[in-house]
Amino acid sequence: MKCVFVTVGTTSFDDLVACVSAHDTLQILRSLGYSRLVLQIGRGKVVPEPLSTESFALDVYRYKDSLEEDLQKADLVISHAGAGSCLETLEKRKPLVVVVNEKLMNNHQLELAKQLHKDGHLFYCTCSTLPGLLQSMDLSTLKCFPPGQPEKFSAFLDKVVGLQK
């Protein structure tokens, strides 16, 4: 049973939650063979109705002490662009789609997503392009992120966020 896990971290990203739980997106996920969608919605105001049919289940929660179990069970992760969520997902070697929040002005998140995409580790999009990306992306082209090299990642983050010129 293939599962998609969506995480917004400790913040809220209502546009992402609304987009990924929209009827059209659910149809796309089902057509790709996913039968379960787990939404971690943080502080969000958009709270989709949980759903359970024979062919599809939708679970919703705000926070858990650890996302580890949900990440572990996921066949695909759709995440906000927070560095922590990205890193945790990549370290677990899960296919990752990062959705960049265009309403946030500090778009070093976008720089991070772009760089990791360029290196072949993830796909990224905005809410409006997510449905199209889900239909067109080829997860087999993703490269594993080097595991257990946090110092590489922090050097990379520093570079992206511009702490080192």
Side-chain angles (χ1 to χ4, degrees):
M1 170 157 132
K2 280 168 59 175
C3 174
V4 181
F5 176 51
V6 179
T7 175
V8 305
T10 53
T11 56
S12 61
F13 191 171
D14 286 342
D15 290 350
L16 172 56
V17 172
C19 169
V20 86
S21 59
H23 180 75
D24 291 354
T25 313
L26 295 180
Q27 291 296 99
I28 292 167
L29 291 173
R30 288 168 71 159
S31 72
L32 294 170
Y34 295 100
S35 53
R36 185 157 182 250
L37 175 62
V38 179
L39 292 175
Q40 183 267 316
I41 62 167
R43 294 198 307 251
K45 292 185 177 62
V46 173
V47 186
E49 281 292 308
L51 172 88
S52 183
T53 66
E54 278 180 20
S55 59
F56 200 82
L58 169 63
D59 296 324
V60 182
Y61 67 88
R62 288 196 179 275
Y63 301 107
K64 279 184 187 170
D65 289 342
S66 163
L67 302 181
E68 180 133 1
E69 191 185 333
D70 288 311
L71 284 172
Q72 210 63 61
K73 286 182 181 159
D75 297 288
L76 172 66
V77 178
I78 300 174
S79 172
H80 73 127
S85 299
C86 292
L87 181 59
E88 199 176 349
T89 305
L90 292 171
E91 282 185 332
K92 295 215 172 356
R93 302 195 161 195
K94 297 294 181 178
L96 174 61
V97 174
V98 167
V99 182
V100 178
N101 189 345
E102 293 169 293
K103 290 179 181 163
L104 289 183
M105 285 332 290
N106 64 342
N107 251 342
H108 62 256
Q109 290 195 340
L110 175 61
E111 294 309 309
L112 173 67
K114 270 186 181 162
Q115 185 60 49
L116 287 167
H117 173 68
K118 209 170 86 186
D119 296 341
H121 299 304
L122 53 75
F123 293 104
Y124 78 95
C125 60
T126 58
C127 290
S128 56
T129 57
L130 177 63
L133 176 68
L134 289 172
Q135 286 173 298
S136 66
M137 66 186 184
D138 178 358
L139 296 179
S140 69
T141 61
L142 291 174
K143 300 186 189 77
C144 277
F145 190 70
Q149 293 173 299
E151 62 288 340
K152 261 195 178 170
F153 188 74
S154 56
F156 166 74
L157 264 187
D158 290 350
K159 195 177 71 194
V160 170
V161 182
L163 302 177
Q164 297 172 327
K165 289 292 170 266

